[in-house]
Amino acid sequence: MSTLLAAAGPLEPAARSYLSPTGQEVVFLLVGVLVLGAAVVSVTTRRLVHAALWLVVALGGLAVEFLLLTAEFVAWVQVLVYLGSVIVLVLFGLMLTRAPIGRSPDADSGNRPAALAVGLASAATLVTLVVDAFRSSWIDLSGAAGTTRVTGEYLFSHWVLPFEALSVLLLAALIGAIVLSRTQGGRARPRAGKLRTAPTKPKER
Amino acid sequence: MHLAYPAVLAVLLFSVGVYGVLARRNVILVLMSVELMLNAVNLNLVAFDVWLRDTLHAGQALTLFTITIAAAEIGLGLAIVLLVYRTRRTAAVDEVTALGDRHEADGQGADDQGADDHEAADAAKEQAAA
Amino acid sequence: MNLALPILVPVLPALGAAAGLATGRRYPGLARPLAVLPVAVSAVLALVTALQLGTGATLDAGTRLAPTGGPDLSLALHLDGFSSVISVLVGLVATCVQVYSTAYLKDDPRYPSYAALVSLFTAAMFLVVYSGDLIVLLVGWEVMGICSYFLIGHDWEGADARTASLKAFLVTKLGDVPFLFGLFLLGADAGSFRITEVLRTAADGGLHHPTLIALLLLAGVAGKSAQFPLHTWLPDAMAGPTPVSALIHAATMVAAGVYLVARLLPVFLLSSAALLVLAAMAAVTMVGSALCALAQDDLKRVLAYSTVGQLGYMTGALASGDRQAAVFHLVAHGAFKALLFLTAGVVIHAAHTNSISAMSRIDGLRRRVPDAYWTMGLGLAALIGLPPFAGFFSKESVLTAAEHAARGEALTGHLGPASAVPAAAGWTVLVAGLLTALLTAAYATRLWLVAFHARPVAAAPADAPYSPEPDEADPAHAEPGAMRWPLWVLAVPTLGFGLLGLRTDWLPALLDGEPLRPAVATVALGLGAALAGILIAYAAWRRAGARTAAGQPAADPGRLLLGPAYGPAQHGFGVDRLYSALFVRPTGAAARLVRFLDRAVVETYVRGAGAAPGWLGRAVRFAQTGNAQGYLSALLAGAVLLAVLVAVGS
Amino acid sequence: MTTAHDLGQPFMTPLAVADPGGLIQSVDWVAVAPPLIAALAALAVLVADLFLPEARKRLLGWLSAAGLLAALAALIPLVGDARSTFCFTGPAGGCSYTADHFALAFQLLALGGALLTVLLSLHTVDGAAPNSGSAAGLPGGEYWFLLLSSACGAALLPAARDLATLVIALEVATLPGFALVGLRRDGRGAESALKFFLSSVTATAVMLLGVSFVYAAAGTVQLQGIADGLAHAPGQLKPLAEAGAVLTLVGFAFKTAAVPFHFWVPDTYVGAPLPVAGYLSVVGKAAGLSGLALVTTLAFRPYGHTWGLVLAVLAALTMTAGNTAALRQRADTPHGAVRLLAWSSVGQAGYLLVPLAAAGYADSAEPLGATVAYALIYGLVNLGAFGVVALVGGSGRLDGFRGLAGRNRWAAFALAFFLLCLAGLPPGVVGLFGKVVVFRSAVDAGLGWLAVVMAVNVVIALAYYLKWTALLFAPSAGEAGEAGEAGEPAATRRTPAGLGAALGLAAAGAAVLSVAPQLVLRVVSGSLF
């Protein structure tokens, strides 16, 4: 794989300065700040529905970033899957669990200090690691790497096995979700009554 | 483009997700934070894929797989959350603690009873609605 | 020679046990033949094997069992004189016990499973004796243990039987854990679990941690052979049926530990520290148990404590480096102690009580059970060590070994240099052995006189201890023949076995070849101590008898010796005061010590060992709050911590 | 839950477009047969569930068992030389799927464990049979389907040879588990499913981050390629690569229930249906372990000392935490038996990690054999123990087992045997051998301190295993209290056929291995990869 690395030329001495960004970089950075800001608001806001909407912004921004990185197909999938389905699901979930629409004072748990500590620690560690490793690496964005056609080719010439395993995964998730969200209707309906007379209930306590 | 930009953005996003997972009370918000973490990983993978000019496109393939996994997980996860809500009348992660050892020690039987009562009441209500 | 014979010896009783368990409930009629026949045939085969093997020869055969990657396991056979002698003893005693049990447990509904367990036990003991591989030996060792727990708990309706079996289980397991580690360390050091290989490595000096291995193994031996401080289970184990006590807790299982040390003696000879520990253990065991025996009223408990003491003799001989003497005493003791237990069963059966003071009030007990009366006399004489009984020769050989070791000329045979045995070990064993000889004679005499020769007075008190027998025979009728003739069979070796040691081409030729003839000096000392013990006990008994005649409440010398309530009355009798000073107080102290060890040391050990993990466990479980977010915090924090550590470390 | 369908769509389109002749990788169907048969059986069950009348639903369980048997049978022709398939056509070469000895051993464990679980749950699943110990039965068709798909993932995982397949196989093995845990749809099941789910998802995210770092440093996701790539990676990327490697381990360590990723285990086992808890403790753990073994010894070999140390520390922490917590288990808490088994499984996970750590130190895959052997032994015995707990039923208090020997002799003997195997005491010789092999791997690799920690832990574990064993043979409490209430109804019922068969299989297997441990210990000496 070293040949591959050499071909990509990622570690050549820092020829490019961070002080004179290209146009792509500027857009990337602006969108990046937007994504990060939306993410932060999403995990801190007290309005639950707003959190979901800010998440839409963050994930949509990420799709733009994918596009900027020439991963076209991934970007479309991101839009389709996340914005099209996941967020809708999340909103459904919030609705079904009767989440308050307005500000809820207890949106955050008592675990916040620990969360802040772990989050900051992980940020510090990871940023240090990443900056240290990639400070002189350069991505050559010429040549489209992620068009639909290319994607189809690599998926089906190299990644057949995980792809097929994934179909089992999706089916299992589907069935699992259905069976879990089915109410205790049908044959399990009389359970409430049965429970009371069930002999296995400890009564002596 | 400097590789550092997407990489740093990704790890910051990941850390924000970590904070959200640990700080949020509503399980659905926790799930959303997990999605943030997974998306950060996706950004990483795509950036590395392009940077490496990987002929196998392992990074992008893995990104697609991750998105699918995330979707499957959130589907199943929401079903579980709804189940919890149906049986325990709450979606707050720190209120679903009946199975912990502390509770086991001071009479989990009573707690269990309570949980099942919830369930029974729930079933009764459904019946009434129907 | 034909390998099939020695292989059949352990296999037959095991098959018998399986068949007994399988058919027991459906065909109760088959239980008796299935119990007796395989064991009897095995006994004969063991004898034939021993005869075929002859003297001075060894036989090794084995097949590789499991390539563990490290030390190999093999299903191996190792026959030599030691295994021949002991297997014949096991076969003889087991057959007698099975025959005896047919009558003793005649109407017991659980007889089939009982007999199967005894057969299985016998098979396991044969396996231990014949095995040439330590792991296979361990299997037999553990199977024996399990059978013994079940047999002790045979009358599990009674609380004492249940607690006794649980106690036996826990105490022996306490020893088994270090024992396991010792075995594995030994196997790892020697590169093999084959005993021959281990011994060869030991001889070549290839063992790296002989002291550690020996001490770890000793813990298991102390548990199995009921040596101080793990002896406490054996007296309680008398809650089991009497034949079981005869088989397991006198003749075979408790001897397994001694046998193991004898087999691995070269390993122990590499470590003088281990030998010193062994000697100290033996000394404390014999003296302490003899004092306890003197204080007991329950016939079977007297015998149990005496067993513990006699095992102390054997370990003492081993500590002196002489395994011949140890095995000689093992076999002799096995014969006469089995005899004693079986007679005790008959006596208890007839007297309907375990209490010897209660027996003393029964008129004509000795005429009621003449066989038991005479054979118990023989057994006790052997126990005391009166010539020409077996016990005399074997005990003298132990004392001779100790005396040699004390002089720095230990009789290690060709196993190691005489200098390997520290003189201190020899002295410890010698002094303790002589003291024990005196005490043994005293309690044996007391037992004999009180049980059979007291003048009859009133009826037994209602609260006298008694092991209830399922077959409550009419006292007017004699015991069935199956309970009487095994006594006489066992009386033969009790009488004659010791003579085999007299000439080097008899028993010694089968063992290590050293002479087993007692030395004059130790004979004088040992016999003197024994006679003194008899006289002292007799005098005490006369005193007790005199007090009874003077119209005071019935008393036996044991009570007289022990009871602080009798203190005021003791002033007039100088001998009693001497006894009191000599025995009662030390006995009380010993009893307190035993109780202390039982309660404080063992429990504290268990608790202390449990405390640290306990706190840790509480902490771990305290973290198990049930709050998923806490779990996630730990998960993510752990991940970050790992990443930081690794990144910093690289 | 229409998402899944929507999601599938974008991928399905190119499938139709792609030219199957030229582009798609060639497939060796025999090699992939074991997981494939499991997946097909899952589908078959799902379809059959739609068409079978209510009264015949019992057949589904037997159908699943048959499917797993077939999958097990498909392992037989694979014994011998390693076969690879789904190979990359590019210049880098390498394959996604390899059926070598390692893969076969873990596939045997996964499929065999799943088979035992199916037998264990035959009587739990039928909604009409109220004798499950739980309040209600489980929905049949879905239960079998989820179990089989999870088994399929667990069987795929040990044969996977690139990180993408590994991650997905791990998810396939885990994800149906969430649903299985919550399948009773009561409060306890929901809570335990939630905890399992949240922990798992978070661990997956962390693992994926690690994977992305490893990918960046090595330039590939193939395990063999990663080893080469990491060995030649520029020094600048090294800290990132090592951190990535360790983060990758988190996901698998989570499945293995290593401390501090173990918190979900007790809560989840208690809330899950008993057979599912047994399944997670054996097959789930096997999946995690095989993944750990693969990534450590194949992919991250250049960093052996780093992860060797990490795994050694985790192993020590895990066994200590698990065993000490089990020691504190009180006899009178509800579900105490399952909780004890849960903590004991955490402790056992610690032992299982020891040879992996040793492999890092010894810089060879040789110690892995010990893990394989121990995992096989542990799987058999632990499922047996869960089976007996399921059989006894009641409130699951440890007190409910008091005097079991008097009520149900065979169950008591079986449980005692399983517990002794877990403790590593004769006559459960096979457990002893397993421990010895593990112990030796640590000593051989120079991990003396870990060996000492392990020895201490084995002794600690004896305490609670023996306490439980002793409880079985203790007399029943005289008063008509909890013990009678919990035990009697279960004992007087006839043992269900499936449960009996599973217990018989497990006990017979353990007994056979106790007599002839070489059957399983052979893997210790043979080469795995």
Side-chain angles (χ1 to χ4, degrees):
Chain A
M1 287 306 110
S2 48
T3 51
L4 215 154
L5 280 180
L11 292 170
E12 62 195 50
R16 278 105 180 170
S17 150
Y18 280 89
L19 292 176
S20 56
T22 62
Q24 264 173 326
E25 280 180 320
V26 172
V27 178
F28 189 93
L29 281 178
L30 286 179
V31 177
V33 168
L34 175 72
V35 167
L36 202 58
V40 169
V41 175
S42 167
V43 299
T44 50
T45 178
R46 302 214 155 161
R47 296 166 195 259
L48 304 188
V49 179
H50 285 204
L53 297 177
W54 280 110
L55 186 68
V56 173
V57 176
L59 300 185
L62 268 181
V64 177
E65 304 282 49
F66 290 150
L67 269 182
L68 287 173
L69 288 169
T70 71
E72 192 186 310
F73 186 73
V74 176
W76 294 132
V77 169
Q78 169 92 357
V79 171
L80 264 177
V81 171
Y82 275 106
L83 275 49
S85 333
V86 169
I87 294 298
V88 176
L89 265 183
V90 166
L91 287 174
F92 262 126
L94 283 175
M95 202 176 72
L96 285 176
T97 58
R98 312 207 175 113
I101 301 293
R103 296 168 66 88
S104 52
D106 56 351
D108 287 346
S109 67
N111 202 29
R112 252 182 81 177
L116 207 57
V118 175
L120 285 180
S122 88
T125 316
L126 294 176
V127 168
T128 315
L129 274 175
V130 166
V131 168
D132 185 46
F134 298 129
R135 60 180 176 272
S136 57
S137 305
W138 182 261
I139 309 178
D140 182 5
L141 288 174
S142 64
T147 59
T148 311
R149 185 185 153 68
V150 175
T151 308
E153 275 171 12
Y154 68 70
L155 267 186
F156 291 99
S157 56
H158 303 302
W159 304 105
V160 178
L161 179 64
F163 188 86
E164 280 171 3
L166 210 55
S167 57
V168 177
L169 178 78
L170 280 176
L171 191 57
L174 182 73
I175 300 290
I178 288 173
V179 74
L180 282 188
S181 42
R182 200 164 61 197
T183 49
Q184 308 272 339
R187 54 185 142 162
R189 168 69 76 184
R191 223 193 116 210
K194 231 163 71 179
L195 241 184
R196 298 240 163 72
T197 58
T200 48
K201 274 254 83 67
K203 285 282 183 237
E204 80 284 0
R205 289 180 59 106
Chain B
M1 191 189 299
H2 282 285
L3 178 56
Y5 293 146
V8 169
L9 176 60
V11 296
L12 283 179
L13 213 49
F14 190 85
S15 301
V16 170
V18 166
Y19 169 81
V21 166
L22 298 187
R24 290 308 215 169
R25 196 149 174 272
N26 189 307
V27 184
I28 297 180
L29 294 192
V30 173
L31 278 183
M32 282 162 45
S33 307
V34 172
E35 293 301 313
L36 274 181
M37 290 166 77
L38 289 173
N39 269 282
V41 174
N42 286 349
L43 180 57
N44 246 351
L45 285 171
V46 169
F48 295 148
D49 181 283
V50 181
W51 170 58
L52 290 165
R53 318 210 110 208
D54 188 352
T55 48
L56 298 178
H57 286 292
Q60 291 199 26
L62 197 49
T63 307
L64 291 174
F65 298 152
T66 311
I67 293 176
T68 323
I69 290 176
E73 273 179 349
I74 203 153
L76 192 50
L78 283 174
I80 292 174
V81 175
L82 291 183
L83 182 60
V84 168
Y85 185 75
R86 233 178 31 235
T87 54
R88 292 276 162 90
R89 292 278 146 222
T90 179
V93 71
D94 53 357
E95 283 174 15
V96 190
T97 58
L99 294 179
D101 262 346
R102 288 184 203 166
H103 289 260
E104 292 271 330
D106 38 65
Q108 206 252 329
D111 192 285
D112 217 23
Q113 185 84 46
D116 284 333
D117 278 352
H118 270 313
E119 228 167 297
D122 194 40
K125 209 160 56 189
E126 273 166 26
Q127 235 158 1
Chain C
M1 75 184 266
N2 189 355
L3 271 180
L5 286 185
I7 290 174
L8 272 181
V9 172
V11 167
L12 271 182
L15 290 180
L21 274 181
T23 62
R25 200 168 294 171
R26 215 160 297 160
Y27 310 102
L30 279 180
R32 262 155 244 263
L34 275 177
V36 177
L37 282 181
V39 175
V41 173
S42 271
V44 174
L45 287 182
L47 185 63
V48 172
T49 308
L51 291 178
Q52 277 191 353
L53 188 68
T55 56
T58 59
L59 173 81
D60 269 290
T63 165
R64 226 174 79 147
L65 191 64
T68 56
D72 274 348
L73 296 187
S74 47
L75 203 57
L77 206 61
H78 176 87
L79 300 183
D80 59 6
F82 289 94
S83 62
S84 295
V85 173
I86 295 178
S87 62
V88 171
L89 169 77
V90 172
L92 175 67
V93 176
T95 311
C96 287
V97 164
Q98 282 285 29
V99 170
Y100 184 92
S101 301
T102 55
Y104 192 83
L105 295 167
K106 194 167 61 190
D107 296 330
D108 191 322
R110 284 198 293 269
Y111 172 75
S113 69
Y114 161 88
L117 279 174
V118 170
S119 293
L120 185 61
F121 172 87
T122 313
M125 183 69 195
F126 277 130
L127 188 65
V128 167
V129 174
Y130 278 170
S131 168
D133 185 277
L134 287 172
I135 294 296
V136 178
L137 187 147
L138 181 71
V139 171
W141 176 282
E142 291 293 337
V143 172
M144 268 202 300
I146 289 163
C147 291
S148 109
Y149 312 137
F150 280 118
L151 288 172
I152 294 170
H154 179 74
D155 299 312
W156 48 260
E157 290 90 349
D160 53 343
R162 287 199 307 261
T163 50
S165 70
L166 203 60
K167 186 172 181 184
F169 178 74
L170 290 178
V171 173
T172 50
K173 276 286 168 270
L174 202 64
D176 276 356
V177 173
F179 181 71
L180 271 180
F181 279 94
L183 274 194
F184 286 124
L185 203 53
L186 186 60
D189 264 11
S192 168
F193 285 113
R194 285 288 285 266
I195 293 179
T196 44
E197 282 294 305
V198 168
L199 294 186
R200 206 177 43 74
T201 320
D204 298 347
L207 290 186
H208 303 307
H209 327 89
T211 305
L212 183 59
I213 293 174
L215 289 178
L216 285 174
L217 290 179
L218 272 188
V221 169
K224 208 57 139 188
S225 284
Q227 295 293 288
F228 175 85
L230 298 182
H231 63 282
T232 55
W233 64 271
L234 184 58
D236 288 5
M238 295 304 134
T242 309
V244 167
S245 305
L247 174 65
I248 298 182
H249 306 122
T252 55
M253 183 178 86
V254 290
V258 174
Y259 175 72
L260 182 86
V261 181
R263 287 294 286 273
L264 295 178
L265 193 61
V267 177
F268 286 80
L269 285 178
L270 291 176
S271 158
S272 52
L275 288 179
L276 275 176
V277 171
L278 191 60
M281 201 166 89
V284 175
T285 309
M286 19 179 159
V287 178
S289 66
L291 287 172
C292 291
L294 198 53
Q296 301 302 317
D297 182 52
D298 184 328
L299 175 56
K300 283 176 73 180
R301 285 179 78 92
V302 175
L303 294 179
Y305 272 114
S306 113
T307 304
V308 175
Q310 300 300 309
L311 288 165
Y313 269 116
M314 297 170 211
T315 47
L318 293 169
S320 312
D322 187 352
R323 61 174 181 175
Q324 272 203 124
V327 172
F328 189 28
H329 194 54
L330 190 165
V331 176
H333 168 259
F336 70 70
K337 188 53 65 66
L339 171 64
L340 280 174
F341 267 111
L342 293 187
T343 55
V346 173
V347 172
I348 292 170
H349 199 258
H352 281 213
T353 176
N354 278 15
S355 159
I356 54 172
S357 54
M359 287 175 195
S360 72
R361 300 190 189 94
I362 296 176
D363 191 15
L365 183 60
R366 78 186 114 146
R367 281 185 298 283
R368 164 79 177 66
V369 283
D371 304 281
Y373 172 71
W374 287 111
T375 48
M376 183 179 270
L378 295 180
L380 286 176
L383 174 66
I384 295 171
L386 293 179
F389 294 100
F392 167 73
F393 293 99
S394 59
K395 183 184 287 184
E396 289 307 329
S397 75
V398 173
L399 291 177
T400 308
E403 188 246 359
H404 275 279
R407 281 192 284 127
E409 303 165 2
L411 299 168
T412 53
H414 49 83
L415 299 174
S419 56
V421 183
W427 279 115
T428 313
V429 175
L430 184 59
V431 172
L434 287 174
L435 188 56
T436 310
L438 177 87
L439 292 171
T440 308
Y443 70 71
T445 312
R446 161 181 171 263
L447 175 65
W448 173 250
L449 291 175
V450 172
F452 292 116
H453 293 267
R455 232 170 310 160
V457 209
D463 59 343
Y466 171 51
S467 354
E469 307 301 340
D471 173 27
E472 296 283 359
D474 180 0
H477 283 94
E479 271 60 38
M483 278 176 73
R484 280 183 288 129
W485 66 258
L487 305 184
W488 291 106
V489 171
L490 283 172
V492 173
T494 305
L495 255 172
F497 180 73
L499 299 172
L500 290 181
L502 282 181
R503 290 194 46 183
T504 44
D505 53 350
W506 289 347
L507 184 67
L510 209 53
L511 305 179
D512 282 341
E514 304 285 318
L516 278 173
R517 205 170 311 170
V520 179
T522 50
V523 167
L525 280 174
L527 212 51
L531 289 175
I534 295 174
L535 287 178
I536 290 169
Y538 182 71
W541 178 70
R542 288 297 297 269
R543 286 290 179 199
R547 290 237 329 257
T548 313
Q552 298 197 2
D556 72 75
R559 280 203 162 183
L560 201 63
L561 296 171
L562 291 171
Y566 284 78
Q570 286 171 350
H571 286 299
F573 315 117
V575 184
D576 282 344
R577 209 178 301 152
L578 181 67
Y579 281 169
S580 161
L582 268 181
F583 299 133
V584 178
R585 253 179 255 151
T587 310
R592 271 198 301 280
L593 184 68
V594 168
R595 221 174 40 224
F596 167 73
L597 286 171
D598 208 22
R599 200 167 293 161
V601 177
V602 176
E603 276 196 15
T604 319
Y605 166 72
V606 171
R607 267 203 221 123
W615 282 108
L616 206 56
R618 195 171 297 169
V620 172
R621 292 174 63 96
F622 191 71
Q624 200 74 24
T625 54
N627 186 347
Q629 212 149 35
Y631 302 174
L632 294 179
S633 306
L635 195 159
L636 287 170
V640 171
L641 195 66
L642 282 180
V644 171
L645 288 181
V646 167
V648 169
S650 68
Chain D
M1 297 305 111
T2 49
T3 359
H5 270 321
D6 295 347
L7 285 176
Q9 227 44 52
F11 305 122
M12 292 307 168
T13 335
L15 178 60
V17 174
D19 173 15
L23 281 173
I24 292 185
Q25 293 165 308
S26 67
V27 181
D28 176 357
W29 294 106
V30 179
V32 293
L36 188 66
I37 292 178
L40 291 179
L43 269 182
V45 167
L46 197 59
V47 174
D49 183 40
L50 296 178
F51 296 109
L52 273 182
E54 197 70 24
R56 315 288 295 273
K57 295 261 170 163
R58 291 197 75 99
L59 285 178
L60 291 177
W62 295 106
L63 181 62
S64 319
L68 285 169
L69 263 182
L72 280 171
L75 290 175
I76 296 170
L78 298 174
V79 178
D81 292 335
R83 304 169 69 142
S84 296
T85 180
F86 289 106
C87 293
F88 293 98
T89 44
C95 296
S96 284
Y97 186 102
T98 301
D100 49 18
H101 282 132
F102 175 85
L104 291 187
F106 271 105
Q107 284 178 338
L108 172 68
L109 179 54
L111 296 171
L115 178 63
L116 278 183
T117 311
V118 167
L119 293 178
L120 281 183
S121 35
L122 273 175
H123 78 290
T124 324
V125 167
D126 190 10
N131 57 353
S132 57
S134 66
L138 304 168
E142 290 89 347
Y143 179 86
W144 302 121
F145 168 76
L146 291 169
L147 190 62
L148 284 171
S149 21
S150 173
C152 162
L156 172 62
L157 198 141
R161 288 297 179 274
D162 66 62
L163 280 179
T165 314
L166 263 181
V167 168
I168 290 172
L170 186 69
E171 283 303 307
V172 175
T174 313
L175 204 118
F178 308 145
L180 282 175
V181 168
L183 209 53
R184 251 187 342 221
R185 289 174 294 189
D186 56 357
R188 281 196 297 128
E191 177 177 344
S192 49
L194 181 71
K195 285 172 182 170
F196 185 22
F197 173 75
L198 284 180
S199 310
S200 170
V201 171
T202 315
T204 305
V206 173
M207 175 174 72
L208 280 168
L209 185 74
V211 168
S212 76
F213 287 161
V214 170
Y215 173 57
T220 178
V221 292
Q222 284 169 264
L223 299 185
Q224 201 56 54
I226 290 173
D228 300 337
L230 289 184
H232 303 117
Q236 203 181 358
L237 292 181
K238 213 170 163 207
L240 187 76
E242 291 204 13
V246 169
L247 290 183
T248 309
L249 300 189
V250 168
F252 298 110
F254 158 82
K255 283 294 279 182
T256 325
V259 171
F261 316 115
H262 70 286
F263 284 103
W264 59 280
V265 173
D267 294 10
T268 301
Y269 286 12
V270 169
L274 262 176
V276 174
Y279 176 82
L280 288 180
S281 81
V282 171
V283 181
K285 203 158 283 188
L289 265 181
S290 52
L292 264 186
L294 282 175
V295 292
T296 51
T297 49
L298 286 186
F300 304 150
R301 199 166 345 117
Y303 298 156
H305 277 272
T306 305
W307 55 259
L309 181 65
V310 167
L311 285 183
V313 172
L314 286 190
L317 284 178
T318 306
M319 59 177 88
T320 312
N323 283 326
T324 51
L327 202 59
R328 300 286 315 174
Q329 185 60 51
R330 282 172 24 187
D332 56 349
T333 44
H335 318 293
V338 184
R339 212 160 243 281
L340 182 62
L341 280 179
W343 282 115
S344 116
S345 89
V346 174
Q348 301 277 354
Y351 307 145
L352 285 165
L353 288 176
V354 169
L356 294 185
Y361 273 81
D363 212 13
S364 80
E366 202 183 324
L368 284 191
T371 286
V372 177
Y374 196 79
L376 285 170
I377 295 165
Y378 162 80
L380 193 63
V381 173
N382 205 40
L383 271 176
F386 268 101
V388 179
V389 173
L391 176 67
V392 172
S395 67
R397 283 180 172 82
L398 280 177
D399 280 338
F401 289 82
R402 182 181 291 278
L404 181 64
R407 301 195 299 272
N408 190 342
R409 184 171 354 156
W410 293 113
F413 277 131
L415 184 55
F417 182 52
F418 294 138
L419 287 177
L420 288 179
C421 282
L422 283 174
L425 278 185
V429 190
V430 63
L432 184 65
F433 281 127
K435 289 208 167 57
V436 171
V437 171
V438 169
F439 193 77
R440 215 166 43 79
S441 75
V443 174
D444 286 350
L447 277 169
W449 64 270
L450 188 56
V452 171
V453 171
M454 182 180 163
V456 171
N457 267 290
V458 170
V459 175
I460 293 178
L462 285 186
Y464 62 84
Y465 287 127
L466 287 183
K467 213 154 58 180
W468 194 358
T469 313
L471 207 57
L472 297 177
F473 296 97
S476 300
E479 72 278 351
E482 158 66 21
E485 184 269 328
E488 294 302 349
T492 45
R493 276 198 309 265
R494 258 184 63 243
T495 306
L499 196 52
L503 287 182
L505 265 181
V512 164
L513 288 183
S514 283
V515 176
Q518 67 269 32
L519 291 178
V520 67
L521 294 183
R522 197 180 293 153
V523 293
V524 175
S525 42
S527 75
L528 285 169
F529 292 110

